[in-house]
Amino acid sequence: MGIRIYEKEQIFQIDTPNTTYLMGVTRGKYLGHMYYGPRIGDANGSYLLRTAAGPAADHAFQKDKLGFMEGFAFEYPAWGVGDYRDPALRVRDAGGHQVCEPVYEGYTLLNGKPVLPDMPATFAGNTPEGAAQTLVITLRDPLLGLKLLLRYSVFGDSDAVIRSVTAVNEGSEPLYLEKILSASIDMDNDHFQLISLHGCWGRERRIESRPVSHGKHIVSSLRGETSHQMQPFMALASNGTSQKDGDVYAMHFVYSGNFIAEAEMDFQDSVRLSLGIHPDSFEWVLAPGEQFETPETVLVYSAHGLGEMTRTFHSLYRNHLMRGKYVHRKRPILVNNWEATYFDFDDDKLMAIAREARRLGIEMLVMDDGWFGKRNNDECALGDWQVNEEKLRGGLKSLVDRVNAEGLKFGIWFEPEMVSPDSDLYRAHPDWAVQVPGRPISMARFQYVLDLTRREVEEYVYEQVASVLRSANIEYVKWDMNRPLADLGSFGLDAGHMGEFSHRYVLALYRLQERLIREFPDLLLENCSGGGGRFDPGMLYYSPHIWTSDDMDPVERLLIQEGTALLYPLSAMGSHVCVVPNHTVGRVTPFDTRARVALTGAFGYQLDITRLSDEDKQKVIFYNQEYHRYNDLLREGTYYRIASYRENNMYDCWQVVSEDKSECLVTYVQVRYQPFWNPRRLKLEGLDPDARYRLEGTDQIYSGGLLMHAGYLQNMIFGDYGSAMLHFVKE
Ligand code: GLA
C-alpha cells in the first residue's frame, strides 16, 4: 500500500494491496484519469493520458480544444467548456454563467485519514501507524476563485480507495454549487454490465444487471433518504463476470439522502462512472470564504469477480466504518413485539413476553411502536414522546426495571423525525413540519416530516429522545423513519438557500445520531426506515446494524439478504424469525429455515413467543444456542456466495469461513423440491486445500481441496423450503 508521486511526470500512483489507481496532469493543466485495475509496478505511464487525436499535443489542443475536452478522461470533470458528458461539477457564478474549468495546482500527501466534519466517514481504525494515507490534489478555477480539494485515502489492509471533495470559494462573489459529486472516473468500455440494487418496501435490494449501452444509465433517489427503491451503488463488470471471475469497478456512497449514480457511455465507447449527491433538489450557496464538503464515495476494483468486491466492502465497513462496542461483539438476541402485538399491548403483555423470553434464552425485549401519547394506531401521536401510562401502568422506568429484573435488556422504538397532524407537538408547532406555505402538506402513513434543518427543531428532537433514554435503563434504540420527504420547504431558510434543504436535513440527522451515541456510548442503535429504506453506509457509521426489511419471510429474505450482503457485512443485517403464515406474503415455512436464514445477521424474533407450541419453543432454545455457537464466526468470518436462488430458481447457499480457515459454516436453503435430481454440488471456497475438515456431527472427512473443487454433495430435502446448516471443522 502506498501513494507515490512522480514529480517530473506529474503522475500520482495510488496502490492498495492488490490494485493501482493512476492519475496524471496533462500539459500542466488538466487532471486526467489514467488507469484503475490490478496492481502494477512503477507507473511510467504518461502515454495513458490520451485523447481521440492521440496524446494531448499542443498544436491539436490549440486548434480544437473542444475535441480534446470531449475525449479526455477527466478525473473530476466540470461543466461548461466542451466536455458534454455529465459532469461531476457544475457551478454558477454571480453573473449566472455555468462555466467552470478547474486546472491542476498542486498536491499534499497526508499520513492518516482526515475526518469529515459532521458526516459519516471511513477512518483508519486499527490500521498500523502510517498505513493510512491521503492524497489531496488541488485544482483551481482562477476566474471563479474556486479551489477544489480532491481527496483519495487508502488503508493498508484494504483494496478500497475513498474519495471526497471540498470546494472552497476564495473569490469575492458568491458561487452556486449546482452539482458536486464525490467521485467520477472515465474508462474504456469493456462490454460492461451495469450492476445495481433495486426494490421497494418488502423487497429491498434485488440484484439487477444490464448491459451498458450508449447514453446514460442512472440509479438514484430523490426521496430525501436512500430509499427502498435504489441503493447508492453502481458497479461495472466485464462481460461474463461471476462470483469468482471478471473485472468489477464499484462505487458505493457513504450518505443517507438523495443520490445519483450514473454510467454514461459516449460515442467513443468511453464510460464515465460517477456517484454523489443528486443535483436535482440541490443547490449550495458558497459565500466568499466558505467551503462545502461532499460525502465520501468508496471505490472498489476487483480482478476476481463480484465475490472479491463483496469481501473488500465487508472488511472495509467492519474495520473502517462501523463504530461502537458492538461492532465486533455478539448483539443481544432480541424479541421485538411489533408483529406479535402491533399497537395492542400493555405492560402485562410485555412482561409475559419478557418472562417467556428469559425461559427461552432471549436476551432483550424491544418495545416497538405504540408506547407513547395516544398512539393506538398509526394515525396519531408521533412527536408526543411521553409514555402512555394507560398502556404501561407505572410508567416506563417501572417497566424497564421489571424487564431488567427478569434478566433481560430493554430496547425502545422511536420515529424522531416525524410528527402526526393529530399530535400535541403539531398543534403547538404547525410550522415545524416540512412544508411550502399555502400548499397542503402531502401525507404519507398519516404523518408529516419535522423540519430538522431548523436548529430549534433539531434540539427539541434530541431532547425528546435523550430524556426518555435518561429516564430508564434503556440499552437499545430502534430509530425508524416511515415516509419519504416531499413538499420541501422550511421557514428557516430564505429563498436563496432553499435548495440546501435536502442536504441540510441529512446533516442534521447525522448530528442527532452522533450526539446520541456520544451521550450514550453503550447504546446499541438500530437504524430503520419502514424496513430497509435507509440501509446505507452513512447509517452504518452510527448503528452497527440496520433493519433489513419488514419482510421476514425466509424465501423473500434469501433475495433481500443476497442483495444486501453484496455490499454489507452479514452482521449489519437485522434479521428476525417471523411467525407463519408470514404477515407480508402469507407463506408457511419451517421454523428451522426461518431461524437459519435469520441467524446469518443480527438475530432476533418478531413473533408472539408466548403463543408458540412447545415444539417451537424448544426450537427457539436450540437456535439461541446455535447463535451463541456461530455468531463469532458469522460476524467476523469471510463470506462466500456459493449459489443463488435468484439465478437457479431452486436453492440458495452461502458460506462463512473463519479467518484462520479452521472452520466454516454453510447455510443451504432448498426453496423448491423437484423429483429426480442428483444431489446438489456445493463448491465451497476459501478453505485450506491441504487441510482435512470434518463435517460436524458425522464421521465424514474431506480435504479442503476436495470441498472447493469437487464440492460437497447436498442431498435433496423432500418438500419445499427445507434447509441445512453444515459446519466443517479442521481436524
Ligand atoms: C416500520 C418498521 C417496523 C415497525 C413499524 C412500526 O414499518 O419497519 O419494523 O417498527 O414501523 O410502526
Side-chain angles (χ1 to χ4, degrees):
M1 195 275 313
I3 298 177
R4 275 184 273 181
I5 289 124
Y6 301 86
E7 299 279 356
K8 192 162 134 283
E9 296 85 358
Q10 291 191 306
I11 290 176
F12 304 93
Q13 177 169 358
I14 301 172
D15 287 328
T16 70
N18 298 294
T19 75
T20 294
Y21 189 102
L22 273 185
M23 296 170 276
V25 180
T26 182
R27 306 180 65 256
K29 280 188 96 178
Y30 302 108
L31 183 68
H33 181 74
M34 295 165 64
Y35 170 81
Y36 190 23
R39 185 164 172 161
I40 53 178
D42 280 3
N44 176 20
S46 308
Y47 70 95
L48 291 167
L49 284 170
R50 55 98 177 88
T51 66
D58 266 339
H59 70 279
F61 183 78
Q62 300 298 352
K63 184 174 160 205
D64 188 2
K65 177 172 169 181
L66 297 195
F68 169 84
M69 297 306 273
E70 71 177 354
F72 189 62
F74 280 99
E75 185 59 28
Y76 195 69
W79 181 251
V81 278
D83 176 357
Y84 298 105
R85 295 160 286 185
D86 255 1
L89 180 71
R90 195 171 54 235
V91 184
R92 198 173 71 245
D93 66 20
H97 315 100
Q98 293 170 305
V99 178
C100 178
E101 189 175 9
V103 294
Y104 176 77
E105 185 175 272
Y107 74 89
T108 325
L109 190 55
L110 307 172
N111 270 334
K113 166 84 186 6
V115 292
L116 281 190
D118 287 343
M119 260 191 291
T122 52
F123 48 80
N126 295 328
T127 315
E129 188 77 10
Q133 275 188 311
T134 301
L135 171 66
V136 186
I137 296 188
T138 307
L139 306 182
R140 183 181 297 277
D141 182 319
L143 201 70
L144 293 179
L146 177 68
K147 182 167 85 174
L148 296 171
L149 303 170
L150 311 185
R151 272 185 301 272
Y152 300 79
S153 297
V154 283
F155 307 111
D157 58 355
S158 172
D159 274 323
V161 175
I162 317 294
R163 287 183 61 175
S164 66
V165 179
T166 304
V168 190
N169 183 352
E170 295 188 339
S172 53
E173 301 278 352
L175 295 172
Y176 303 89
L177 301 174
E178 295 184 343
K179 182 178 186 185
I180 178 159
L181 302 185
S182 300
S184 173
I185 174 172
D186 287 343
M187 295 177 284
D188 293 341
N189 184 26
D190 184 16
H191 302 286
F192 282 139
Q193 291 284 321
L194 185 160
I195 298 168
S196 59
L197 300 172
H198 73 99
C200 72
W201 178 86
R203 52 179 168 85
E204 293 90 338
R205 288 174 296 285
R206 304 293 170 96
I207 299 172
E208 191 170 48
S209 164
R210 56 193 143 135
V212 174
S213 55
H214 291 95
K216 298 172 187 175
H217 303 257
I218 289 174
V219 164
S220 68
S221 167
L222 281 167
R223 294 166 189 264
E225 61 169 342
T226 287
S227 85
H228 302 79
Q229 284 73 12
M230 295 283 175
Q231 177 67 200
F233 157 77
M234 191 175 270
L236 299 178
S238 56
N239 207 10
T241 289
S242 64
Q243 280 294 315
K244 290 185 188 173
D245 298 306
D247 292 308
V248 185
Y249 300 86
M251 287 191 184
H252 201 195
F253 201 23
V254 187
Y255 190 61
S256 312
N258 296 339
F259 71 87
I260 185 167
E262 184 175 333
E264 178 181 10
M265 181 150 80
D266 73 2
F267 63 100
Q268 304 185 70
D269 287 4
S270 164
V271 181
R272 173 167 292 171
L273 178 66
S274 59
L275 179 56
I277 293 178
H278 203 305
D280 290 358
S281 191
F282 172 84
E283 179 173 275
W284 201 270
V285 185
L286 215 53
E290 284 184 352
Q291 65 181 54
F292 179 85
E293 310 276 351
T294 73
E296 291 186 339
T297 284
V298 176
L299 274 67
V300 170
Y301 165 75
S302 157
H304 303 289
L306 289 170
E308 188 172 282
M309 175 203 77
T310 292
R311 290 183 284 280
T312 301
F313 278 117
H314 285 198
S315 69
L316 178 81
Y317 292 160
R318 282 195 299 213
N319 300 318
H320 301 287
L321 182 69
M322 294 157 74
R323 299 181 297 169
K325 73 172 191 183
Y326 281 106
V327 175
H328 298 292
R329 273 202 217 169
K330 275 192 266 179
R331 327 263 155 89
I333 302 172
L334 65 84
V335 57
N336 173 305
N337 72 307
W338 179 241
E339 288 205 354
T341 65
Y342 293 103
F343 293 102
D344 185 16
F345 64 87
D346 58 16
D347 57 325
D348 285 345
K349 177 73 201 171
L350 293 178
M351 283 311 299
I353 293 175
R355 278 190 290 274
E356 192 62 52
R358 178 182 48 81
R359 280 193 283 272
L360 301 179
I362 293 170
E363 298 157 329
M364 179 162 67
L365 171 70
V366 176
M367 177 173 68
D368 211 280
D369 193 356
W371 57 268
F372 51 91
K374 296 190 169 50
R375 190 147 166 106
N376 294 316
N377 55 49
D378 62 7
E379 298 190 16
C380 64
L382 289 171
D384 298 342
W385 300 107
Q386 293 81 36
V387 69
N388 178 343
E389 296 215 13
E390 282 168 30
K391 275 183 172 175
L392 306 184
R393 286 152 298 206
L396 185 59
K397 181 165 182 349
S398 148
L399 174 67
V400 177
D401 288 346
R402 281 181 284 157
V403 170
N404 286 168
E406 291 295 334
L408 263 70
K409 295 177 188 296
F410 188 88
I412 197 167
W413 179 95
F414 279 102
E415 201 180 351
E417 300 156 69
M418 297 292 153
V419 62
S420 307
D422 180 6
S423 67
D424 294 342
L425 179 65
Y426 186 71
R427 281 183 283 274
H429 297 286
D431 59 314
W432 282 13
V434 174
Q435 62 193 283
V436 175
R439 198 175 282 282
I441 310 176
S442 311
M443 193 94 88
R445 209 194 185 204
F446 302 101
Q447 64 199 55
Y448 300 154
V449 183
L450 283 171
D451 179 3
L452 294 187
T453 69
R454 288 171 68 174
R455 282 290 177 153
E456 66 271 37
V457 180
E458 182 186 329
E459 195 57 36
Y460 178 87
V461 165
Y462 184 78
E463 272 311 312
Q464 292 300 299
V465 177
S467 60
V468 171
L469 298 190
R470 289 180 204 123
S471 74
N473 183 29
I474 297 170
E475 297 178 74
Y476 184 100
V477 163
K478 175 177 175 186
W479 180 305
D480 207 343
M481 196 264 195
N482 276 318
R483 61 155 288 175
L485 275 62
D487 308 305
L488 303 187
S490 165
F491 289 105
L493 293 170
D494 61 29
H497 291 82
M498 204 59 84
E500 299 174 4
F501 178 86
S502 299
H503 184 54
R504 285 187 181 276
Y505 184 94
V506 179
L507 293 178
L509 170 70
Y510 289 153
R511 277 195 300 272
L512 283 168
Q513 296 212 347
E514 183 68 30
R515 209 170 146 188
L516 201 67
I517 59 174
R518 278 179 193 268
E519 181 176 345
F520 305 96
D522 290 333
L523 185 73
L524 178 48
L525 186 62
E526 175 191 37
N527 270 293
C528 171
S529 172
R534 235 188 208 162
F535 211 118
D536 60 63
M539 289 287 99
L540 211 52
Y541 185 66
Y542 305 96
S543 60
H545 63 257
I546 301 172
W547 186 226
T548 313
S549 175
D550 280 345
D551 192 344
M552 289 171 278
D553 170 71
V555 176
E556 296 303 305
R557 276 289 180 127
L558 294 180
L559 301 163
I560 296 167
Q561 294 185 183
E562 181 194 8
T564 308
L566 185 70
L567 304 171
Y568 296 95
L570 303 183
S571 65
M573 301 192 293
S575 247
H576 297 170
V577 180
C578 66
V579 73
V580 287
N582 168 270
H583 288 192
T584 309
V585 296
R587 190 174 283 128
V588 177
T589 49
F591 193 99
D592 296 292
T593 298
R594 281 176 275 149
R596 287 169 179 154
V597 171
L599 271 181
T600 300
F603 183 59
Y605 298 85
Q606 206 173 133
L607 42 72
D608 190 346
I609 51 172
T610 63
R611 292 167 63 182
L612 288 177
S613 67
D614 286 344
E615 190 190 339
D616 279 356
K617 283 183 183 171
Q618 288 311 309
K619 296 214 175 212
V620 173
I621 293 171
F622 174 74
Y623 282 104
N624 290 341
Q625 289 160 355
E626 294 282 274
Y627 172 81
H628 286 293
R629 286 181 67 199
Y630 294 129
N631 187 257
D632 285 346
L633 171 59
L634 288 167
R635 200 185 59 247
E636 305 292 332
T638 309
Y639 165 83
Y640 295 91
R641 166 64 42 184
I642 305 301
S644 164
Y645 163 59
R646 175 180 56 90
E647 288 171 353
N648 63 33
N649 204 23
M650 281 196 265
Y651 68 102
D652 212 60
C653 182
W654 60 96
Q655 175 200 6
V656 180
V657 184
S658 63
E659 202 184 338
D660 63 2
K661 300 178 194 280
S662 64
E663 57 170 337
C664 78
L665 188 69
V666 178
T667 309
Y668 171 84
V669 178
Q670 182 193 284
V671 180
R672 290 168 61 216
Y673 175 77
Q674 291 193 310
F676 290 112
W677 276 92
N678 284 331
R680 305 280 176 223
R681 190 181 295 272
L682 306 178
K683 290 190 181 174
L684 304 190
E685 289 193 55
L687 301 175
D688 175 352
D690 299 322
R692 289 153 54 85
Y693 293 87
R694 179 189 294 276
L695 176 57
E696 202 178 54
T698 73
D699 53 9
Q700 298 168 29
I701 293 182
Y702 306 84
S703 75
L706 199 66
L707 287 172
M708 291 195 289
H709 303 301
Y712 172 79
L713 296 184
Q714 168 65 47
N715 285 324
M716 290 290 280
I717 303 166
F718 185 70
D720 289 344
Y721 316 129
S723 60
M725 260 170 36
L726 309 164
H727 187 208
F728 293 91
V729 183
K730 205 169 177 175
E731 285 271 284

